[in-house]
Amino acid sequence: MMAVVLRCFRHLPSLLYRSSFTMVRGLPQAPAGCPALLLDGCRQCVRQMLLTRQLATKKAKGKGQSQARVNVSAALVEDIINLEETNEDMRAVVEALREDFSRNLSVRTSPGALDHIIVMTKDGKFPLNQLGQISQKSPQLIVVNMINFPESTAAATKAIRESGMNLNPEVDGTIIRVPIPKVTREHRESLAKLAKQSTNKSKEALRKVRSKSINQVKKFKNKVSEDTIRLLEKQIQQMADSTTAEMDKLLAAKTKELLG
């Protein structure tokens, strides 16, 4: 048994060497003859040594700074949390906000801006473009033809009026006429307020992603060291802060565009 142990630990230097760089996917496989139980212990020891080294390095670099940044390798902690998935979820929140700004918040109202207004019908919620045919008849007028779902005309009219886009639709049978408002200062300020509201909703969605990830990490508090938990929580918070800063930049640019 002693010979097997020595054979396993003889591989630790190479494990540490290979794992210290931006990492291969997961830790290396067992050396020949290494019992599975002992291997699991080796892998946990190697991971803990590397994470402790990372934490110590960041603390050293962070002396004299208000907050040191961390950069945990996803491969080292993949059995605790999928950091790549967390990052993807946070990026999805940003992209949804960017799309909302592009599609729904423009000084000049276009037919495409009405496409995704949600209409409440007796059969459920539907985007306006699934219920009516939307077209622009002139620079000052958009028309929604509800011929295919005439029973939803009233609901569609209500949804357009309450969309927050400063629109006052007029109904003529199954035709909804939507005059495009003049670009006034009041209209611009109303759009800027909507942009702020959308950003706040996105930040709330981001907080949910962050909380979900931190709760996932805390499930392992009895299995890994406090330093590991603390390092991962800091990494997740750092990712959330970076995403929040990006959303603030998007809002600032959109507000400047809307207010002219």
Side-chain angles (χ1 to χ4, degrees):
M1 182 64 180
M2 183 59 70
V4 173
V5 172
L6 290 174
R7 187 159 61 246
C8 288
F9 278 90
R10 189 168 64 242
H11 289 264
L12 279 178
S14 63
L15 288 177
L16 288 171
Y17 176 79
R18 281 185 286 174
S19 301
S20 296
F21 295 98
T22 302
M23 308 285 302
V24 293
R25 190 71 177 169
L27 291 174
Q29 297 302 312
C34 180
L37 183 59
L38 182 59
L39 170 63
D40 186 60
C42 288
R43 290 166 66 86
Q44 290 185 25
C45 286
V46 169
R47 181 181 65 192
Q48 187 56 51
M49 289 170 69
L50 290 170
L51 287 171
T52 301
R53 178 188 296 175
Q54 276 189 308
L55 184 61
T57 301
K58 299 303 176 184
K59 284 180 177 177
K61 289 182 178 180
K63 284 186 177 180
Q65 300 177 6
S66 59
Q67 184 177 12
R69 292 186 65 81
V70 298
N71 187 19
V72 178
S73 169
L76 277 178
V77 295
E78 60 184 359
D79 54 342
I80 300 175
I81 186 172
N82 189 332
L83 288 176
E84 292 179 355
E85 183 177 300
T86 297
N87 183 60
E88 289 173 0
D89 289 344
M90 290 185 179
R91 295 303 312 162
V93 174
V94 175
E95 293 309 315
L97 179 63
R98 194 191 306 275
E99 184 176 355
D100 181 47
F101 280 179
S102 175
R103 177 188 297 159
N104 301 322
L105 294 175
S106 175
V107 172
R108 296 289 180 182
T109 304
S110 65
L114 274 62
D115 284 352
H116 298 280
I117 291 176
I118 299 301
V119 181
M120 292 286 296
T121 74
K122 63 179 181 179
D123 297 317
K125 299 179 181 179
F126 298 93
L128 181 60
N129 64 352
Q130 291 186 12
L131 300 175
Q133 302 166 14
I134 306 172
S135 59
Q136 186 156 1
K137 293 300 182 181
S138 73
Q140 290 78 37
L141 181 66
I142 294 175
V143 170
V144 183
N145 189 337
M146 298 293 295
I147 188 66
N148 293 325
F149 296 93
E151 69 280 4
S152 297
T153 301
T157 303
K158 181 175 184 289
I160 294 169
R161 184 174 290 113
E162 296 177 356
S163 65
M165 298 171 65
N166 194 30
L167 301 176
N168 292 299
E170 304 165 355
V171 181
D172 181 11
T174 59
I175 300 296
I176 304 173
R177 293 186 175 86
V178 186
I180 298 176
K182 293 181 179 179
V183 183
T184 62
R185 184 68 184 178
E186 182 182 16
H187 179 51
R188 289 177 179 273
E189 290 175 351
S190 175
L191 291 175
K193 188 177 294 185
L194 286 174
K196 177 68 173 177
Q197 291 173 359
S198 295
T199 303
N200 288 338
K201 288 180 181 178
S202 294
K203 287 182 178 180
E204 179 60 32
L206 177 65
R207 283 191 286 270
K208 290 180 180 179
V209 173
R210 183 199 52 134
S211 296
K212 177 183 175 182
S213 298
I214 288 179
N215 289 336
Q216 171 63 24
V217 169
K218 287 181 176 178
K219 291 179 182 178
F220 288 80
K221 64 181 180 180
N222 295 325
K223 299 179 182 179
V224 298
S225 73
E226 290 183 6
D227 279 351
T228 299
I229 297 296
R230 187 161 56 249
L231 193 66
L232 284 171
E233 287 179 345
K234 188 172 183 180
Q235 173 80 34
I236 293 166
Q237 183 61 54
Q238 185 175 283
M239 293 162 65
D241 290 344
S242 177
T243 306
T244 298
E246 185 174 355
M247 288 194 289
D248 286 339
K249 287 181 180 179
L250 284 175
L251 175 61
K254 192 65 181 179
T255 300
K256 183 177 180 180
E257 172 195 325
L258 293 172
L259 295 180

